[in-house]
Amino acid sequence: MRLLIALFALCIVVSCGGRESYIDMQPVDAYNWHKPVSIIYDNSDTVSMRSIAIALRYNESFKSDTLTVKVQTSLPAAFQYSESILLRLRREYKATAMTASECVGYRDNCLLSERGCYIFTITPCRNVSGIEAVGIEIAE
């Protein structure tokens, strides 16, 4: 019986030890993306360090290997900050795929110290063709 309890406890520890991530992507106008995209992240963990990445899905019409976007972050306490980010893309298509997806690092070792909704608004700094969806990935 003790062995069974020990194995059960070990399974719980192993299953809770994995790296959790959250990703949310919104579709954009693939012919002419120019409008802001807002992603809402409801934070309940105020102690874990996280990595935040910009997630993109693009097709062959996107010809560049870089993209500059403005990221505005609104905190639950109504504070806001924004910055321009230059994203460097690998542009690796898989076999016969017509689209590719990748996450480009934005912030490492971030502490989202407030409970509530964080709003990440991503806007391209120029009109862009070939981007199909954009979003945020938050990983522990």
Side-chain angles (χ1 to χ4, degrees), residues 4-140:
L4 190 58
I5 292 171
L7 285 174
F8 180 74
L10 181 62
C11 287
I12 291 174
V13 169
V14 170
S15 66
C16 293
R19 180 180 167 111
E20 289 188 31
S21 70
Y22 165 88
I23 189 164
D24 186 5
M25 295 184 75
Q26 300 295 320
V28 298
D29 181 354
Y31 295 104
N32 184 21
W33 174 41
H34 62 279
K35 294 182 180 177
V37 173
S38 293
I39 305 294
I40 299 173
Y41 177 69
D42 190 7
N43 184 49
S44 60
D45 181 351
T46 60
V47 296
S48 296
M49 300 305 280
R50 320 268 180 76
S51 294
I52 302 174
I54 306 295
L56 296 170
R57 183 174 61 240
Y58 49 87
N59 60 38
E60 292 175 330
S61 295
F62 181 67
K63 301 294 185 196
S64 181
D65 60 353
T66 61
L67 176 64
T68 303
V69 296
K70 177 183 164 191
V71 179
Q72 178 177 324
T73 305
S74 301
L75 283 61
F79 293 110
Q80 295 183 349
Y81 65 93
S82 67
E83 58 192 316
S84 292
I85 306 296
L86 176 65
L87 305 174
R88 297 186 190 283
L89 305 171
R90 293 185 309 257
R91 297 188 40 81
E92 295 175 356
Y93 293 95
K94 307 284 191 251
T96 60
M98 300 302 285
T99 64
S101 297
E102 63 182 278
C103 291
V104 181
Y106 164 55
R107 290 275 174 235
D108 284 326
N109 296 318
C110 292
L111 179 64
L112 302 178
S113 61
E114 298 178 23
R115 286 185 183 275
C117 292
Y118 284 74
I119 303 170
F120 298 92
T121 303
I122 305 162
T123 309
C125 290
R126 61 178 173 81
N127 291 2
V128 181
S129 177
I131 302 291
E132 297 179 351
V134 65
I136 291 286
E137 179 191 46
I138 300 175
E140 288 185 12

